[in-house]
Amino acid sequence: MSAEFNNHQSPEQLQAELADIRRAQENSAAFEILYNRYFEMIVRFIYQRVDTKDEAFEIAQQVFLKALLGIQKYTFKGVPFSAWLIRIALNEMNMMFRSNKAKRAVNIDDTQLRYIADEFDDGITEERHAMIATALAKLEEEDLMLIEMRFFEKRQFKEIASVYNITEANAKARLYRVIEKIKHILKIK
Amino acid sequence: MKKINKNREPITSEEINQNKNFKSVLNSYYKFPKKPLYKSPKLFGAVMIIIALAVLVVIENINDGEDKRNDVQHENCISPPVPSKDIEDSVYIIDPQNTDTLVHPSGTRICIPADAFVDSTGKIITSEVKLTYREFRNQSEAFLSGIPMRYDSANTTTIFTTAGMFQINAWSNQKQLTFQKNKSIQVLMSSDYNDRIGFNSYKFDEQHNKWSFTGNDSSSDYLQNKAERFFDSYQGKELPSLVKAAKRLVKSKQALRSLVKEKPFQPRKLDSKKETFKIDFDIQDFPELAGFENLLFEVQDGQSIKEKDANREWTNMKIKKSKNGLNYIVGFFGYYYGISYKVLPVFAEKDFKSAYDLYEKKSKIYQDKVNQKASEEASAASQLKAIRDSIVSFAKDKIMQDSIDALDAKVRIEAIEEEQTQIILHAQLLEQVTIVFQVEGFGIFNCDRPNILPKQMNVNMTFADSNGRDLVFDKIWLVDLDKRYTIIYYQYEAGSKIIRDIKFNPAHRNRIWALKGQDLCVISEQQLMSNFTRDSDYHLQMKCTDISKLKQYELAALLQK
């Protein structure tokens, strides 16, 4: 099962969320609204990238602790609060992977493989799928994250761009380069 | 090598909910060691500011007695140049318990929710509220308001191009009100400025006399959503042909507007004295450059490419169009280092002809498309008008036949006309230049773009009246009509009649306004250009008018003449 999210919010929703954030900045207990709203999304985001459920729950709690500690520094940039939480989650996971407290895993199902295979105009044989999965596992961390966000979680370029603090054009260009890398790996293998 | 899990057992929402524990996060937060005060970045910042201020005071004292050079100056607080000619407030009396939409004479709409206002104790106001509102839609109105237009960000002083600015306040029993939490007013400000690329919203902090960034200008997205939502609500109801025609008009207007992005780029030959480089980038984001072969980027503004940067391996590259729409900014980034260049797309001599041929071909296609879309728009507009007229006429006839009561007939006809007006208004919403502000507090708000200060020409100016007598002004304003900003100069060199170091861009249309008491002197852009030389000293003759007896519209005409 893939973790797909639709994080688009209307200007009214963004304004309402900003009011929640302001309240959390004034009173830490008011952060609970944001915690309840985004806990499931963050757990799924992490679980897509780690090996076990326990790791996902532990990292998610850390993400919200870091968010609460840093909420005073949060500045609204016109995108949903979730983009900020995802950035924290990425940092937290990287720390956990580096310190071997959690194991990085490439979690993929047949549907996701089919999406990627479509991108390469590639066949849908079992053997080909296995090769794509292996190619993904060989990618650099940042490249793999891009593939996961775009193809597994169906995130829009605008959102990916806001997570990485880059332009949409740049996000597209980066993804294009990663796809080229995968094609390259598949050809030589 | 990372572990691969294929078709792993999914995590369920129930499991996730069972593991939710906000209390544990909150407890960890309370136990988390806070930084001691001496490690606080705020304290460090405060100490640095105090040191910087001390250094400035010392430098200021050392410089006392020396000639003060006239750098660009700014008012530090709201200071109308002619207080009697300040833009007046419009006053609206509202019932705060009801939702209300005020329509200002300029066309601006102010949407107020019910129970929005509270007094200083937080009590919701139920009695009559006086709402004061005034807006500054152009340079002359911003000038008359005396609101500082300087914006400091990242240690850079910039000056605002204004697309629209307003001041709003609410009062009850002569006491200023504030907003109730979670309530906000929406101001749909009509503007005469539609080139709003790179504009943001700002609020003026009257306590500290500075502007604060509040968000990006997302007005066009907002209006598009609003119009679409409105039309969606009409699906399946009566008047489908009118809604359909209105939608068609909106779509054709959007199609015409979106064509601007495809306007082809006119090729230029490279300047052999300047450095160029070639890069691969996603052409989809820059359709104006599509199809050109051997496109080079020429480095502008005297920048040069260092050899070590040319040979460096970069991990990332960004390209974006500059705000003037002519240049591009290309940035190269490594893990610890980045560099950016302002560039212009150019072609080598050998590639120029084929590039120009392609440009001409693309221009023709582009112009054909524009003509086609414009004709579609005109046809949609006339279809909409015809349908509306026919519906009104049909409805009137039918109501007059059915209805015995003349008053009832009148009300029904008015209701039908109102409904159709609303449909057409929403269709036009996208065409009107409207800036959307979501106001959560009272004060002064602005939709602006910060500009760097001009530096192309640096001149000294002296002034005389039409009889040749020397004029010494209280203040003068350099008005850049193309960039829509004004810069104040008021410091004369001690004992002299010269204002030094006035900076402007001679490629723009510049005007000068000057004040001496109640006398306003103006030099139009044509007069300024006719005096324009590359010399550093200007002696300008100005015609002055006593503005004390002028009406507001006469003053506006004088400033804009």
Side-chain angles (χ1 to χ4, degrees):
Chain A
M1 182 179 164
S2 62
E4 291 178 24
F5 311 109
N6 178 9
N7 286 328
H8 176 75
Q9 289 188 6
S10 68
E12 290 82 3
Q13 287 170 318
L14 284 174
Q15 287 303 323
E17 183 167 82
L18 185 58
D20 291 337
I21 296 164
R22 297 271 182 264
R23 274 191 291 279
Q25 285 173 329
E26 285 166 19
N27 174 9
S28 308
F31 187 72
E32 189 169 6
I33 294 174
L34 296 163
Y35 176 88
N36 286 333
R37 188 177 302 154
Y38 288 116
F39 185 75
E40 178 162 353
M41 193 208 84
I42 290 296
V43 169
R44 289 193 185 282
F45 180 81
I46 297 166
Y47 187 55
Q48 175 65 51
R49 292 154 177 83
V50 296
D51 195 24
T52 67
K53 291 173 186 173
D54 287 344
E55 285 170 345
F57 290 129
E58 192 192 330
I59 297 172
Q61 287 292 89
Q62 280 301 314
V63 168
F64 283 98
L65 174 60
K66 294 279 168 71
L68 188 53
L69 286 164
I71 191 88
Q72 299 300 337
K73 290 179 198 161
Y74 174 82
T75 47
F76 179 63
K77 290 180 178 168
V79 291
F81 185 64
S82 57
W84 189 62
L85 290 175
I86 286 173
R87 263 213 301 275
I88 298 175
L90 288 173
N91 288 338
E92 202 56 33
M93 275 190 284
N94 283 335
M95 262 172 51
M96 292 290 198
F97 297 149
R98 275 200 298 271
S99 58
N100 289 326
K101 287 181 184 164
K103 190 165 171 52
R104 178 61 157 120
V106 179
N107 299 298
I108 195 160
D109 62 29
D110 289 337
T111 319
Q112 291 166 335
L113 274 170
R114 219 165 290 134
Y115 278 125
I116 297 202
D118 282 351
E119 188 65 32
F120 304 142
D121 291 328
D122 216 330
I124 47 166
T125 61
E126 276 292 312
E127 187 194 7
R128 205 62 176 147
H129 280 181
M131 284 171 75
I132 292 173
T134 313
L136 291 179
K138 282 182 181 170
L139 289 177
E140 295 285 323
E141 184 56 37
E142 196 168 302
D143 294 347
L144 178 60
M145 289 273 192
L146 266 175
I147 293 284
E148 285 170 330
M149 283 198 203
R150 181 65 186 159
F151 293 110
F152 298 180
E153 294 160 358
K154 313 282 185 316
R155 286 177 194 277
Q156 294 177 346
F157 279 111
K158 188 178 178 183
E159 197 191 349
I160 297 173
S162 70
V163 169
Y164 284 104
N165 215 5
I166 56 177
T167 62
E168 269 185 75
N170 201 244
K172 284 178 193 170
R174 277 194 198 183
L175 187 73
Y176 174 75
R177 282 199 290 274
V178 179
I179 292 169
E180 288 303 304
K181 271 187 202 173
I182 299 172
K183 280 182 182 170
H184 185 68
I185 295 171
L186 289 173
K187 268 179 207 162
I188 57 166
K189 286 287 165 191
Chain B
M1 181 87 171
K2 298 165 189 84
K3 185 180 175 189
I4 301 169
N5 296 320
K6 209 174 153 206
N7 295 328
R8 180 179 62 162
E9 182 198 354
I11 194 165
T12 63
S13 293
E14 289 71 38
E15 280 176 283
I16 294 173
N17 275 331
Q18 280 164 13
N19 281 278
K20 248 186 197 174
N21 189 349
F22 180 67
K23 271 189 185 163
S24 144
V25 171
L26 202 58
N27 286 339
S28 306
Y29 169 75
Y30 288 133
K31 285 177 197 161
F32 201 86
K34 307 286 185 290
K35 277 185 185 174
L37 189 62
Y38 68 87
K39 283 189 179 177
S40 155
K42 280 184 184 168
L43 181 72
F44 179 75
V47 170
M48 292 310 289
I49 288 167
I50 290 166
I51 292 170
L53 283 174
V55 170
L56 279 175
V57 168
V58 170
I59 291 170
E60 188 67 18
N61 287 334
I62 290 168
N63 284 347
D64 262 359
E66 287 179 17
D67 255 3
K68 279 186 181 171
R69 298 289 284 181
N70 191 20
D71 205 348
V72 170
Q73 290 139 40
H74 305 273
E75 296 290 11
N76 290 322
C77 57
I78 301 174
S79 166
V82 190
S84 62
K85 300 294 173 194
D86 194 3
I87 307 290
E88 283 183 11
D89 279 319
S90 293
V91 178
Y92 297 94
I93 305 295
I94 55 169
D95 172 3
Q97 291 177 292
N98 292 321
T99 302
D100 203 350
T101 299
L102 308 174
V103 182
H104 194 63
S106 64
T108 295
R109 275 167 293 165
I110 305 164
C111 311
I112 306 159
D115 300 326
F117 308 110
V118 292
D119 63 16
S120 55
T121 64
K123 194 179 146 204
I124 295 176
I125 302 292
T126 52
S127 58
E128 191 175 271
V129 166
K130 188 171 90 173
L131 195 103
T132 55
Y133 177 83
R134 57 181 188 148
E135 60 187 26
F136 320 95
R137 299 156 57 78
N138 50 40
Q139 278 165 294
S140 53
E141 287 175 353
F143 155 74
L144 290 172
S145 75
I147 295 169
M149 299 304 278
R150 160 190 169 146
Y151 179 61
D152 292 316
S153 175
N155 294 327
T156 307
T157 296
T158 53
I159 194 96
F160 276 144
T161 284
T162 184
M165 177 164 71
F166 65 86
Q167 184 171 23
I168 190 166
N169 282 300
W171 312 81
S172 177
N173 297 324
Q174 297 180 333
K175 285 186 182 148
Q176 191 163 9
L177 305 176
T178 54
F179 277 101
Q180 201 197 154
K181 268 192 177 176
N182 302 332
K183 296 274 181 179
S184 62
I185 281 182
Q186 194 176 56
V187 178
L188 300 170
M189 187 183 186
S190 74
S191 168
D192 58 355
Y193 192 52
N194 60 6
D195 177 21
R196 294 213 306 278
I197 298 166
F199 276 68
N200 298 315
S201 316
Y202 300 86
K203 184 175 190 293
F204 190 68
D205 176 349
E206 290 181 61
Q207 200 179 351
H208 301 100
N209 287 310
K210 63 174 191 178
W211 289 97
S212 307
F213 171 81
T214 54
N216 298 322
D217 174 24
S218 56
S219 303
S220 52
D221 290 347
Y222 172 82
L223 292 173
Q224 189 163 336
N225 289 338
K226 188 172 158 61
E228 278 169 7
R229 277 203 307 273
F230 179 85
F231 290 136
D232 287 345
S233 71
Y234 264 86
Q235 274 178 6
K237 285 195 180 179
E238 293 169 10
L239 310 171
S241 57
L242 188 68
V243 174
K244 211 169 152 187
K247 275 181 153 181
R248 186 182 158 216
L249 180 61
V250 169
K251 284 211 165 73
S252 57
K253 280 179 192 300
Q254 283 171 338
L256 184 59
R257 202 178 306 152
S258 66
L259 270 184
V260 176
K261 287 180 199 157
E262 293 176 32
K263 191 173 180 182
F265 150 78
Q266 185 169 356
R268 296 168 68 142
K269 282 184 198 172
L270 65 81
D271 178 345
S272 56
K273 290 176 194 154
K274 292 179 180 169
E275 290 171 305
T276 55
F277 58 81
K278 193 174 177 181
I279 47 173
D280 289 328
F281 57 97
D282 192 349
I283 202 74
Q284 280 184 0
D285 296 315
F286 305 96
E288 73 279 11
L289 300 178
F292 290 109
E293 285 182 1
N294 299 328
L295 179 75
L296 298 169
F297 286 97
E298 184 182 271
V299 179
Q300 303 293 299
D301 286 356
Q303 259 187 303
S304 63
I305 304 171
K306 290 180 189 155
E307 197 181 337
K308 62 178 181 182
D309 288 336
N311 296 325
R312 201 184 288 264
E313 192 169 318
W314 303 100
T315 55
N316 193 6
M317 186 270 292
K318 289 181 184 177
I319 174 166
K320 66 172 185 179
K321 210 166 183 175
S322 69
K323 283 171 185 168
N324 65 16
L326 297 172
N327 299 102
Y328 294 77
I329 310 292
V330 177
F332 298 96
F333 303 93
Y335 288 110
Y336 305 106
Y337 178 70
I339 188 161
S340 68
Y341 300 99
K342 185 175 174 184
V343 294
L344 189 67
V346 292
F347 295 89
E349 184 77 42
K350 67 178 176 59
D351 300 314
F352 181 74
K353 190 177 175 318
S354 59
Y356 204 85
D357 289 346
L358 179 63
Y359 162 71
E360 287 190 321
K361 211 166 139 189
K362 286 174 88 173
S363 289
K364 193 178 171 315
I365 295 169
Y366 173 73
Q367 199 50 53
D368 288 347
K369 272 189 185 173
V370 169
N371 294 343
Q372 191 201 336
K373 297 288 175 199
S375 122
E376 280 171 16
E377 188 193 320
S379 137
S382 75
Q383 187 198 25
L384 179 64
K385 186 177 179 309
I387 292 175
R388 185 193 185 280
D389 291 349
S390 106
I391 287 176
V392 170
S393 156
F394 179 76
K396 272 183 183 169
D397 289 346
K398 193 166 185 319
I399 289 167
M400 294 309 283
Q401 281 167 16
D402 292 352
S403 191
I404 305 158
D405 182 352
L407 186 64
D408 175 52
K410 186 170 176 279
V411 170
R412 284 171 65 187
I413 289 172
E414 278 176 3
I416 285 193
E417 284 182 333
E418 172 60 22
E419 187 169 37
Q420 286 166 85
T421 305
Q422 281 298 319
I423 290 171
I424 292 173
L425 266 179
H426 278 82
Q428 290 166 341
L429 203 56
L430 295 167
E431 178 59 13
Q432 288 167 348
V433 182
T434 307
I435 310 170
V436 181
F437 291 89
Q438 203 70 36
V439 176
E440 287 178 340
F442 290 114
I444 302 169
F445 299 83
N446 202 341
C447 178
D448 270 355
R449 177 171 63 204
N451 290 281
I452 53 166
L453 294 157
K455 55 187 176 190
Q456 288 81 354
M457 283 288 289
N458 187 352
V459 301
N460 307 321
M461 287 188 182
T462 50
F463 305 93
D465 65 14
S466 44
N467 297 319
R469 283 181 299 229
D470 288 340
L471 283 171
V472 177
F473 293 112
D474 302 332
K475 290 172 189 171
I476 77 160
W477 287 259
L478 178 90
V479 187
D480 187 318
L481 296 170
D482 290 333
K483 285 282 183 180
R484 290 174 67 105
Y485 58 63
T486 53
I487 302 170
I488 305 175
Y489 293 88
Y490 50 86
Q491 211 163 48
Y492 280 88
E493 194 173 317
S496 104
K497 292 166 184 166
I498 304 169
I499 294 195
R500 291 196 182 276
D501 297 331
I502 294 180
K503 299 179 182 74
F504 67 98
N505 184 344
H508 293 172
R509 293 174 302 138
N510 295 285
R511 186 177 287 184
I512 287 179
W513 297 329
L515 264 179
K516 182 172 172 58
Q518 297 281 315
D519 284 346
L520 174 73
C521 309
V522 178
I523 289 193
S524 70
E525 55 277 23
Q526 291 88 353
Q527 287 169 296
L528 196 62
M529 282 316 287
S530 64
N531 281 284
F532 177 68
T533 62
R534 287 272 165 193
D535 293 343
S536 59
D537 294 312
Y538 274 72
H539 182 70
L540 298 167
Q541 272 200 330
M542 301 180 90
K543 196 180 168 198
C544 301
T545 310
D546 178 1
I547 57 170
S548 60
K549 293 189 180 73
L550 291 187
K551 294 196 168 67
Q552 205 74 16
Y553 67 89
E554 292 171 323
L555 177 56
L558 182 65
L559 288 166
Q560 286 163 25
K561 194 160 65 179

